[in-house]
Coordinates of all heavy atoms in Angstrom, one line a residue:
M1 N 0.8 -1.2 0.0 CA 0.0 0.0 0.0 C 0.9 1.2 0.0 O 1.9 1.3 0.7 CB -0.9 0.0 1.3 CG -1.9 1.1 1.3 SD -2.9 1.2 2.8 CE -3.7 -0.4 2.8
K2 N 0.5 2.2 -0.8 CA 1.3 3.5 -0.9 C 1.2 4.3 0.4 O 0.1 4.5 0.9 CB 0.9 4.3 -2.1 CG 1.4 3.7 -3.4 CD 1.3 4.7 -4.5 CE 1.9 4.1 -5.7 NZ 3.1 4.8 -6.2
G3 N 2.3 4.7 0.9 CA 2.4 5.6 2.1 C 3.7 5.3 2.8 O 4.6 4.7 2.3
I4 N 3.8 5.7 4.1 CA 5.0 5.6 4.8 C 4.7 5.1 6.2 O 3.7 5.6 6.9 CB 5.8 6.9 4.8 CG1 7.2 6.6 5.5 CG2 5.1 8.0 5.5 CD1 8.2 7.7 5.2
T5 N 5.5 4.2 6.7 CA 5.5 3.7 8.1 C 6.7 4.3 8.7 O 7.8 4.1 8.3 CB 5.5 2.2 8.2 OG1 4.3 1.6 7.5 CG2 5.6 1.7 9.6
I6 N 6.5 5.0 9.8 CA 7.6 5.5 10.6 C 7.8 4.7 11.9 O 6.8 4.6 12.7 CB 7.3 7.0 11.0 CG1 7.1 7.8 9.7 CG2 8.4 7.6 11.8 CD1 6.6 9.2 9.9
L7 N 8.9 4.1 12.0 CA 9.2 3.3 13.2 C 9.9 4.2 14.2 O 10.9 4.9 13.9 CB 10.1 2.1 12.8 CG 9.6 1.2 11.7 CD1 10.6 0.1 11.4 CD2 8.3 0.6 12.1
V8 N 9.5 4.1 15.5 CA 10.1 4.8 16.6 C 10.5 3.8 17.6 O 9.6 3.1 18.2 CB 9.1 5.8 17.2 CG1 9.7 6.6 18.4 CG2 8.6 6.8 16.1
F9 N 11.7 3.7 17.9 CA 12.2 2.7 18.9 C 12.3 3.4 20.2 O 12.9 4.5 20.3 CB 13.6 2.2 18.5 CG 13.6 1.6 17.1 CD1 14.2 2.3 16.0 CD2 12.9 0.5 16.8 CE1 14.2 1.8 14.7 CE2 12.9 0.0 15.5 CZ 13.5 0.7 14.5
A10 N 11.8 2.7 21.3 CA 11.8 3.3 22.6 C 12.3 2.4 23.7 O 11.9 1.2 23.7 CB 10.4 3.8 22.9
Y11 N 13.1 2.9 24.6 CA 13.5 2.2 25.8 C 13.7 3.3 26.9 O 14.6 4.1 26.8 CB 14.8 1.4 25.6 CG 15.3 0.7 26.8 CD1 14.6 -0.4 27.3 CD2 16.3 1.2 27.6 CE1 15.0 -1.1 28.4 CE2 16.7 0.5 28.7 CZ 16.1 -0.6 29.1 OH 16.4 -1.2 30.3
N12 N 12.8 3.2 27.9 CA 12.8 4.1 29.0 C 12.8 5.6 28.5 O 13.7 6.4 28.9 CB 14.0 3.9 29.9 CG 13.9 2.5 30.6 OD1 12.8 2.0 30.8 ND2 15.0 2.0 31.1
E13 N 11.8 5.9 27.7 CA 11.7 7.3 27.1 C 10.5 8.0 27.6 O 10.0 8.9 26.9 CB 11.6 7.1 25.6 CG 12.8 6.5 24.9 CD 14.0 7.4 25.0 OE1 13.9 8.7 25.2 OE2 15.2 6.9 24.8
E14 N 10.0 7.7 28.8 CA 8.8 8.4 29.3 C 8.8 9.9 29.3 O 7.8 10.5 29.1 CB 8.4 7.9 30.7 CG 9.3 8.4 31.8 CD 8.9 7.9 33.2 OE1 7.7 7.6 33.4 OE2 9.8 7.8 34.1
K15 N 10.0 10.5 29.5 CA 10.1 11.9 29.5 C 10.1 12.6 28.1 O 9.7 13.7 28.0 CB 11.4 12.3 30.2 CG 11.4 12.0 31.7 CD 12.7 12.4 32.4 CE 12.7 12.0 33.8 NZ 14.0 12.2 34.5
K16 N 10.4 11.8 27.1 CA 10.5 12.4 25.7 C 9.5 11.8 24.7 O 9.2 12.5 23.7 CB 11.9 12.1 25.2 CG 13.0 12.7 26.0 CD 14.3 12.2 25.4 CE 15.5 12.6 26.3 NZ 16.7 12.0 25.8
I17 N 8.9 10.7 25.0 CA 8.1 10.0 23.9 C 6.9 10.8 23.5 O 6.6 10.8 22.3 CB 7.8 8.5 24.4 CG1 7.3 7.7 23.1 CG2 6.7 8.5 25.5 CD1 8.4 7.4 22.2
S18 N 6.2 11.4 24.4 CA 5.0 12.1 23.9 C 5.3 13.3 23.0 O 4.7 13.4 22.0 CB 4.2 12.6 25.2 OG 3.7 11.5 25.9
K19 N 6.3 14.0 23.4 CA 6.7 15.2 22.6 C 7.2 14.7 21.2 O 6.9 15.3 20.2 CB 7.7 16.0 23.3 CG 8.1 17.3 22.5 CD 9.1 18.1 23.3 CE 9.5 19.3 22.4 NZ 10.4 20.2 23.1
T20 N 8.0 13.7 21.3 CA 8.6 13.1 20.0 C 7.5 12.7 19.1 O 7.5 13.1 17.9 CB 9.5 11.9 20.3 OG1 10.6 12.4 21.2 CG2 10.1 11.3 19.1
L21 N 6.5 12.0 19.6 CA 5.5 11.5 18.7 C 4.6 12.6 18.2 O 4.2 12.6 17.0 CB 4.6 10.4 19.4 CG 5.3 9.1 19.8 CD1 4.5 8.2 20.6 CD2 5.8 8.4 18.5
K22 N 4.3 13.6 19.0 CA 3.5 14.7 18.6 C 4.2 15.5 17.4 O 3.6 16.0 16.5 CB 3.2 15.7 19.7 CG 2.2 15.1 20.7 CD 2.0 16.0 21.9 CE 1.1 15.4 22.9 NZ 1.0 16.3 24.1
V23 N 5.6 15.7 17.6 CA 6.3 16.4 16.5 C 6.3 15.6 15.2 O 6.1 16.2 14.1 CB 7.8 16.6 17.0 CG1 8.7 17.1 15.8 CG2 7.8 17.7 18.1
I24 N 6.5 14.3 15.3 CA 6.5 13.5 14.1 C 5.1 13.5 13.5 O 5.0 13.7 12.3 CB 6.9 12.0 14.4 CG1 8.4 11.9 14.8 CG2 6.6 11.1 13.2 CD1 8.8 10.6 15.4
Y25 N 4.1 13.3 14.3 CA 2.7 13.3 13.8 C 2.3 14.6 13.1 O 1.8 14.6 12.0 CB 1.8 13.0 14.9 CG 0.3 12.7 14.5 CD1 -0.1 11.4 14.4 CD2 -0.6 13.7 14.3 CE1 -1.4 11.1 14.0 CE2 -1.9 13.5 13.9 CZ -2.3 12.2 13.7 OH -3.5 11.9 13.3
S26 N 2.6 15.7 13.8 CA 2.2 17.0 13.2 C 3.0 17.4 12.0 O 2.5 18.0 11.1 CB 2.4 18.1 14.3 OG 3.8 18.3 14.6
S27 N 4.2 16.9 11.8 CA 5.0 17.1 10.6 C 4.5 16.3 9.4 O 4.3 16.8 8.3 CB 6.5 16.8 10.9 OG 7.0 17.6 11.9
I28 N 4.2 15.0 9.7 CA 3.8 14.2 8.6 C 2.4 14.4 8.1 O 2.0 14.3 7.0 CB 4.1 12.7 8.9 CG1 4.0 11.8 7.6 CG2 3.2 12.1 9.9 CD1 5.1 11.9 6.7
V29 N 1.5 14.8 9.1 CA 0.1 15.0 8.7 C -0.1 16.1 7.7 O -1.0 16.1 6.9 CB -0.8 15.1 10.0 CG1 -0.7 16.5 10.6 CG2 -2.2 14.8 9.7
K30 N 0.8 17.1 7.8 CA 0.8 18.2 6.9 C 1.0 17.8 5.4 O 0.6 18.5 4.5 CB 1.8 19.3 7.3 CG 1.5 19.9 8.6 CD 2.6 20.9 9.0 CE 2.5 21.3 10.4 NZ 3.7 22.1 10.8
T31 N 1.7 16.7 5.2 CA 2.1 16.3 3.8 C 1.0 15.7 3.0 O 1.1 15.5 1.8 CB 3.3 15.3 3.9 OG1 2.8 14.1 4.5 CG2 4.4 15.9 4.7
K32 N -0.1 15.2 3.7 CA -1.2 14.5 3.1 C -0.8 13.2 2.6 O -1.5 12.5 1.8 CB -1.8 15.4 1.9 CG -2.2 16.8 2.3 CD -3.3 16.8 3.3 CE -3.8 18.3 3.4 NZ -4.3 18.6 4.7
I33 N 0.3 12.7 3.0 CA 0.8 11.3 2.6 C 0.1 10.3 3.6 O 0.0 10.6 4.8 CB 2.3 11.2 2.7 CG1 3.0 12.1 1.7 CG2 2.8 9.7 2.6 CD1 4.5 12.2 1.9
A34 N -0.3 9.2 3.1 CA -0.9 8.2 4.0 C 0.3 7.7 4.9 O 1.4 7.4 4.4 CB -1.4 7.0 3.2
F35 N 0.0 7.5 6.2 CA 1.1 7.1 7.1 C 0.6 6.4 8.3 O -0.6 6.4 8.7 CB 1.9 8.4 7.6 CG 1.2 9.2 8.6 CD1 1.5 9.1 9.9 CD2 0.3 10.2 8.1 CE1 0.8 9.9 10.8 CE2 -0.4 11.0 9.1 CZ -0.1 10.8 10.4
E36 N 1.5 5.8 9.0 CA 1.3 5.2 10.3 C 2.6 5.4 11.1 O 3.7 5.5 10.5 CB 0.9 3.7 10.3 CG 2.0 2.8 9.8 CD 1.7 1.4 9.7 OE1 0.7 1.0 10.4 OE2 2.4 0.6 9.1
I37 N 2.5 5.5 12.4 CA 3.7 5.5 13.3 C 3.6 4.3 14.2 O 2.6 4.1 14.9 CB 3.7 6.8 14.1 CG1 3.7 8.1 13.3 CG2 4.9 6.8 15.1 CD1 3.4 9.4 14.0
I38 N 4.7 3.5 14.1 CA 4.7 2.3 15.0 C 5.8 2.5 16.0 O 7.0 2.7 15.7 CB 5.0 1.0 14.2 CG1 4.0 0.8 13.1 CG2 5.1 -0.2 15.1 CD1 4.2 -0.4 12.3
V39 N 5.4 2.5 17.3 CA 6.3 2.6 18.4 C 6.6 1.2 18.9 O 5.7 0.5 19.2 CB 5.7 3.5 19.6 CG1 6.7 3.6 20.7 CG2 5.3 4.9 19.1
I40 N 7.9 0.9 18.9 CA 8.4 -0.4 19.4 C 9.0 -0.1 20.8 O 10.1 0.4 20.9 CB 9.3 -1.1 18.5 CG1 8.7 -1.3 17.1 CG2 9.8 -2.4 19.1 CD1 9.1 -0.3 16.1
N41 N 8.3 -0.5 21.8 CA 8.7 -0.3 23.2 C 9.5 -1.6 23.6 O 9.0 -2.7 23.8 CB 7.6 -0.1 24.1 CG 8.0 0.1 25.6 OD1 9.1 0.7 25.8 ND2 7.2 -0.4 26.5
D42 N 10.8 -1.4 23.7 CA 11.7 -2.6 23.9 C 12.0 -2.8 25.3 O 13.2 -2.7 25.8 CB 13.0 -2.4 23.1 CG 13.8 -3.6 22.9 OD1 13.3 -4.7 23.1 OD2 15.0 -3.5 22.6
G43 N 11.0 -3.2 26.1 CA 11.2 -3.6 27.5 C 11.5 -2.5 28.4 O 12.1 -2.7 29.5
S44 N 10.9 -1.3 28.2 CA 11.1 -0.2 29.1 C 10.6 -0.5 30.5 O 9.6 -1.2 30.7 CB 10.3 1.0 28.6 OG 10.8 1.5 27.4
K45 N 11.3 0.0 31.5 CA 11.0 -0.2 32.9 C 10.3 1.0 33.5 O 9.8 0.9 34.6 CB 12.2 -0.5 33.7 CG 13.1 -1.7 33.2 CD 12.3 -3.0 33.3 CE 13.2 -4.1 32.8 NZ 12.4 -5.2 32.2
D46 N 10.1 2.0 32.7 CA 9.4 3.2 33.2 C 8.0 3.3 32.6 O 7.4 2.2 32.3 CB 10.2 4.5 32.8 CG 10.4 4.7 31.3 OD1 9.8 3.9 30.5 OD2 11.0 5.6 30.9
E47 N 7.4 4.4 32.4 CA 6.1 4.6 32.0 C 5.9 4.8 30.5 O 4.9 5.4 30.0 CB 5.4 5.7 32.7 CG 5.3 5.5 34.2 CD 4.4 4.4 34.6 OE1 3.3 4.2 34.0 OE2 4.8 3.5 35.5
T48 N 6.9 4.5 29.7 CA 6.9 4.7 28.2 C 5.6 4.0 27.6 O 4.9 4.7 26.9 CB 8.2 4.1 27.6 OG1 9.3 4.7 28.1 CG2 8.1 4.3 26.1
K49 N 5.4 2.8 27.9 CA 4.2 2.1 27.4 C 2.9 2.9 27.7 O 2.1 3.1 26.8 CB 4.1 0.7 27.9 CG 2.9 -0.1 27.4 CD 2.8 -1.4 28.1 CE 1.5 -2.1 27.7 NZ 1.3 -3.4 28.4
K50 N 2.7 3.3 28.9 CA 1.5 4.0 29.3 C 1.4 5.3 28.6 O 0.3 5.7 28.2 CB 1.6 4.2 30.8 CG 0.3 4.8 31.4 CD 0.5 4.9 32.9 CE -0.8 5.5 33.5 NZ -0.7 5.6 35.0
K51 N 2.5 6.0 28.4 CA 2.4 7.3 27.7 C 2.0 7.1 26.3 O 1.2 7.9 25.7 CB 3.8 8.0 27.8 CG 4.3 8.4 29.1 CD 3.9 9.8 29.4 CE 4.6 10.1 30.8 NZ 4.4 11.5 31.2
V52 N 2.5 6.1 25.6 CA 2.2 5.8 24.2 C 0.7 5.4 24.1 O 0.0 5.9 23.2 CB 3.1 4.8 23.6 CG1 2.6 4.4 22.2 CG2 4.5 5.3 23.5
E53 N 0.3 4.5 25.0 CA -1.1 4.1 25.0 C -2.1 5.3 25.2 O -3.1 5.3 24.5 CB -1.4 3.1 26.1 CG -0.8 1.7 25.8 CD -0.9 0.7 26.9 OE1 -1.0 1.1 28.1 OE2 -0.8 -0.5 26.5
T54 N -1.8 6.2 26.0 CA -2.6 7.4 26.2 C -2.6 8.2 25.0 O -3.7 8.7 24.5 CB -2.1 8.2 27.4 OG1 -2.1 7.4 28.6 CG2 -2.9 9.5 27.6
L55 N -1.5 8.5 24.4 CA -1.4 9.3 23.2 C -2.1 8.7 22.0 O -2.7 9.4 21.2 CB 0.1 9.6 22.9 CG 0.3 10.7 21.8 CD1 -0.3 12.0 22.2 CD2 1.8 10.9 21.6
K56 N -2.0 7.4 21.8 CA -2.6 6.7 20.6 C -4.1 6.8 20.7 O -4.7 6.6 19.6 CB -2.0 5.3 20.4 CG -2.5 4.3 21.4 CD -1.8 3.0 21.0 CE -2.7 1.8 21.5 NZ -2.7 0.7 20.7
K57 N -4.7 7.1 21.8 CA -6.1 7.2 21.8 C -6.5 8.5 21.1 O -7.6 8.6 20.6 CB -6.6 7.3 23.3 CG -6.5 5.9 24.0 CD -6.9 6.0 25.4 CE -6.7 4.7 26.1 NZ -6.9 4.8 27.6
K58 N -5.7 9.5 21.2 CA -5.9 10.8 20.5 C -5.4 10.8 19.1 O -6.1 11.4 18.2 CB -5.2 11.9 21.3 CG -5.7 12.1 22.7 CD -4.9 13.2 23.4 CE -5.3 13.3 24.8 NZ -4.4 14.2 25.6
L59 N -4.3 10.2 18.8 CA -3.7 10.2 17.5 C -3.8 8.8 17.0 O -2.9 8.0 17.2 CB -2.2 10.7 17.6 CG -2.0 12.0 18.3 CD1 -0.5 12.3 18.4 CD2 -2.7 13.1 17.5
K60 N -4.8 8.6 16.2 CA -5.2 7.2 15.8 C -4.2 6.5 14.9 O -4.3 5.3 14.7 CB -6.6 7.3 15.1 CG -7.7 7.9 16.0 CD -8.0 7.0 17.2 CE -9.1 7.6 18.0 NZ -9.3 7.0 19.2
K61 N -3.3 7.2 14.3 CA -2.3 6.6 13.4 C -1.1 6.0 14.1 O -0.2 5.6 13.5 CB -1.9 7.5 12.3 CG -3.1 7.9 11.4 CD -2.7 8.6 10.2 CE -4.0 9.0 9.4 NZ -4.0 8.4 8.1
I62 N -1.1 6.1 15.4 CA 0.0 5.5 16.2 C -0.4 4.1 16.7 O -1.5 3.8 17.2 CB 0.3 6.4 17.5 CG1 0.8 7.8 17.0 CG2 1.3 5.7 18.4 CD1 1.0 8.7 18.2
K63 N 0.6 3.2 16.5 CA 0.4 1.8 16.9 C 1.5 1.5 17.9 O 2.6 2.2 17.9 CB 0.5 0.8 15.7 CG -0.5 0.9 14.7 CD -0.3 -0.1 13.6 CE -1.3 0.0 12.5 NZ -1.0 -0.9 11.4
L64 N 1.3 0.5 18.8 CA 2.3 0.2 19.7 C 2.6 -1.3 19.7 O 1.7 -2.2 19.7 CB 1.8 0.5 21.1 CG 2.7 0.1 22.3 CD1 4.1 0.8 22.3 CD2 2.0 0.3 23.6
I65 N 3.9 -1.6 19.6 CA 4.4 -3.0 19.7 C 5.2 -3.0 21.1 O 6.1 -2.2 21.2 CB 5.3 -3.4 18.6 CG1 4.6 -3.5 17.3 CG2 5.9 -4.8 18.9 CD1 5.4 -3.7 16.0
N66 N 4.8 -3.8 22.0 CA 5.4 -3.8 23.3 C 6.1 -5.1 23.6 O 5.5 -6.2 23.5 CB 4.3 -3.5 24.4 CG 4.9 -3.3 25.7 OD1 5.7 -2.3 25.9 ND2 4.6 -4.2 26.6
F67 N 7.3 -5.0 24.0 CA 8.1 -6.2 24.5 C 8.3 -6.0 26.0 O 8.6 -4.9 26.5 CB 9.4 -6.3 23.7 CG 9.2 -6.6 22.3 CD1 9.7 -5.7 21.3 CD2 8.7 -7.8 21.9 CE1 9.5 -5.9 20.0 CE2 8.5 -8.1 20.5 CZ 9.0 -7.1 19.6
N68 N 8.2 -7.1 26.7 CA 8.4 -7.1 28.2 C 9.9 -7.1 28.6 O 10.2 -6.6 29.7 CB 7.7 -8.2 28.8 CG 6.2 -8.1 28.7 OD1 5.7 -7.0 28.8 ND2 5.5 -9.2 28.6
N69 N 10.8 -7.5 27.7 CA 12.2 -7.5 28.0 C 12.9 -6.8 26.8 O 12.5 -6.9 25.7 CB 12.7 -8.9 28.2 CG 12.6 -9.8 27.0 OD1 11.6 -9.7 26.2 ND2 13.5 -10.7 26.8
N70 N 14.1 -6.2 27.2 CA 14.9 -5.5 26.2 C 15.7 -6.5 25.4 O 16.5 -7.3 26.0 CB 15.8 -4.5 26.9 CG 16.6 -3.7 26.0 OD1 17.7 -4.1 25.5 ND2 16.2 -2.5 25.6
A71 N 15.7 -6.5 24.1 CA 16.5 -7.4 23.3 C 17.2 -6.6 22.2 O 17.9 -7.2 21.4 CB 15.6 -8.5 22.7
G72 N 17.1 -5.3 22.2 CA 17.9 -4.5 21.2 C 17.2 -4.2 19.9 O 16.1 -4.6 19.6
I73 N 17.9 -3.4 19.1 CA 17.4 -2.8 17.9 C 17.0 -3.8 16.8 O 16.1 -3.6 16.1 CB 18.3 -1.7 17.4 CG1 17.7 -0.9 16.3 CG2 19.6 -2.4 16.9 CD1 16.7 0.1 16.8
T74 N 17.8 -4.9 16.7 CA 17.5 -5.9 15.7 C 16.1 -6.5 15.8 O 15.4 -6.5 14.8 CB 18.6 -7.0 15.7 OG1 19.9 -6.4 15.5 CG2 18.4 -8.0 14.5
R75 N 15.7 -6.9 16.9 CA 14.4 -7.5 17.1 C 13.3 -6.4 16.9 O 12.3 -6.6 16.2 CB 14.2 -8.1 18.5 CG 12.8 -8.6 18.7 CD 12.5 -9.1 20.1 NE 12.5 -8.0 21.1 CZ 12.3 -8.2 22.4 NH1 11.9 -9.4 22.8 NH2 12.3 -7.2 23.2
S76 N 13.6 -5.2 17.4 CA 12.6 -4.1 17.2 C 12.4 -3.8 15.7 O 11.3 -3.6 15.3 CB 13.1 -2.9 18.0 OG 13.1 -3.2 19.4
L77 N 13.5 -3.7 15.0 CA 13.4 -3.4 13.6 C 12.7 -4.5 12.8 O 11.8 -4.2 12.0 CB 14.8 -3.2 13.0 CG 15.0 -2.8 11.6 CD1 14.2 -1.5 11.3 CD2 16.4 -2.7 11.2
K78 N 13.0 -5.7 13.1 CA 12.4 -6.9 12.5 C 10.9 -6.8 12.7 O 10.1 -7.0 11.7 CB 13.0 -8.2 13.0 CG 12.4 -9.4 12.5 CD 13.0 -10.6 13.1 CE 12.3 -11.9 12.6 NZ 12.8 -13.1 13.3
F79 N 10.4 -6.6 13.9 CA 9.0 -6.6 14.2 C 8.3 -5.4 13.6 O 7.2 -5.4 13.2 CB 8.7 -6.8 15.7 CG 8.7 -8.2 16.1 CD1 9.9 -8.8 16.5 CD2 7.5 -8.9 16.2 CE1 9.9 -10.2 16.9 CE2 7.5 -10.2 16.6 CZ 8.7 -10.9 17.0
G80 N 9.0 -4.3 13.6 CA 8.5 -3.1 13.0 C 8.2 -3.2 11.5 O 7.2 -2.9 11.0
I81 N 9.2 -3.8 10.8 CA 9.0 -4.0 9.4 C 7.9 -5.0 9.1 O 7.1 -4.8 8.3 CB 10.4 -4.5 8.8 CG1 11.4 -3.4 8.8 CG2 10.2 -5.0 7.4 CD1 12.8 -3.8 8.5
K82 N 7.9 -6.1 9.9 CA 6.9 -7.1 9.7 C 5.4 -6.6 9.9 O 4.5 -7.0 9.3 CB 7.1 -8.2 10.7 CG 6.2 -9.4 10.6 CD 6.6 -10.5 11.6 CE 5.6 -11.7 11.5 NZ 5.9 -12.7 12.4
N83 N 5.3 -5.6 10.8 CA 4.0 -5.1 11.1 C 3.6 -3.8 10.4 O 2.6 -3.2 10.6 CB 3.9 -4.8 12.6 CG 3.7 -6.1 13.4 OD1 2.7 -6.7 13.4 ND2 4.8 -6.6 13.9
S84 N 4.5 -3.3 9.5 CA 4.2 -2.1 8.7 C 3.2 -2.4 7.6 O 3.2 -3.5 7.1 CB 5.5 -1.5 8.2 OG 6.1 -2.4 7.3
K85 N 2.4 -1.5 7.3 CA 1.4 -1.7 6.2 C 1.7 -0.9 4.9 O 1.1 -1.1 3.9 CB 0.0 -1.4 6.7 CG -0.3 0.0 7.0 CD -1.8 0.1 7.4 CE -2.2 1.6 7.6 NZ -3.6 1.7 8.0
F86 N 2.7 0.0 5.0 CA 3.0 0.8 3.8 C 4.3 0.4 3.1 O 5.1 -0.3 3.7 CB 3.0 2.3 4.2 CG 1.7 2.9 4.6 CD1 1.4 3.2 5.9 CD2 0.7 3.0 3.7 CE1 0.2 3.6 6.3 CE2 -0.6 3.5 4.1 CZ -0.8 3.8 5.4
D87 N 4.4 0.9 1.9 CA 5.5 0.5 1.0 C 6.9 1.2 1.3 O 7.9 0.8 0.9 CB 5.2 0.6 -0.4 CG 4.9 2.0 -0.9 OD1 4.5 2.8 0.0 OD2 5.0 2.3 -2.1
K88 N 6.8 2.2 2.1 CA 8.0 3.0 2.5 C 8.2 2.9 4.0 O 7.2 3.0 4.7 CB 8.0 4.4 2.0 CG 8.0 4.4 0.5 CD 8.1 5.8 -0.1 CE 8.2 5.9 -1.6 NZ 7.3 5.1 -2.3
L89 N 9.4 2.9 4.4 CA 9.8 2.9 5.9 C 10.8 4.0 6.2 O 11.6 4.3 5.4 CB 10.4 1.5 6.3 CG 9.5 0.3 6.3 CD1 10.4 -0.9 6.3 CD2 8.6 0.4 7.5
A90 N 10.6 4.5 7.4 CA 11.6 5.4 8.0 C 11.8 5.1 9.4 O 10.8 4.7 10.1 CB 11.1 6.9 7.7
W91 N 12.9 5.4 10.0 CA 13.2 5.3 11.4 C 14.3 6.2 11.8 O 15.0 6.8 11.0 CB 13.4 3.9 11.9 CG 14.6 3.2 11.3 CD1 15.9 3.2 11.7 CD2 14.6 2.4 10.1 NE1 16.7 2.5 10.9 CE2 16.0 1.9 9.9 CE3 13.7 1.9 9.2 CZ2 16.3 1.1 8.9 CZ3 14.0 1.1 8.2 CH2 15.4 0.7 8.0

């Protein structure tokens, strides 16, 4: 499908994740390109997951993939690509 999937990797980012996602969202929505934002929470021990879940209720194009343990960027990238629905990727 034509559009772009933006992958955002997160580990203990509770202080920054909401602002980061709002900036990405507000920038891409202006382009009129079909898009989705996939946040891959890689075993955060803080409130990163909760912050993303709250924000995705308002910004419907945000998805969350949550892992309970940290395994690094390779697993996160693999699952992000596997779960993307558009033909272009960015991270």
Side-chain angles (χ1 to χ4, degrees):
M1 184 182 302
K2 288 198 173 238
I4 188 166
T5 298
I6 300 166
L7 304 177
V8 178
F9 307 108
Y11 179 72
N12 293 338
E13 297 292 340
E14 72 178 332
K15 294 179 181 175
K16 300 176 189 173
I17 196 69
S18 293
K19 183 177 180 182
T20 299
L21 293 174
K22 287 176 185 175
V23 168
I24 293 169
Y25 191 95
S26 66
S27 297
I28 194 75
V29 77
K30 293 175 190 175
T31 67
K32 309 291 187 208
I33 296 170
F35 74 97
E36 66 179 344
I37 300 169
I38 300 177
V39 179
I40 301 98
N41 182 35
D42 194 20
S44 294
K45 304 298 182 209
D46 63 2
E47 298 295 317
T48 300
K49 178 184 173 188
K50 186 176 179 179
K51 297 266 185 176
V52 174
E53 287 175 337
T54 299
L55 191 57
K56 74 182 203 141
K57 291 175 186 172
K58 296 177 189 172
L59 305 177
K60 303 295 183 189
K61 296 189 182 246
I62 294 176
K63 296 179 180 179
L64 174 65
I65 297 173
N66 187 65
F67 295 114
N68 292 325
N69 62 325
N70 182 278
I73 192 76
T74 302
R75 177 183 67 175
S76 296
L77 183 58
K78 178 181 173 182
F79 275 85
I81 292 169
K82 184 178 178 181
N83 287 281
S84 65
K85 70 177 183 181
F86 292 109
D87 61 338
K88 294 188 177 44
L89 289 166
W91 60 87

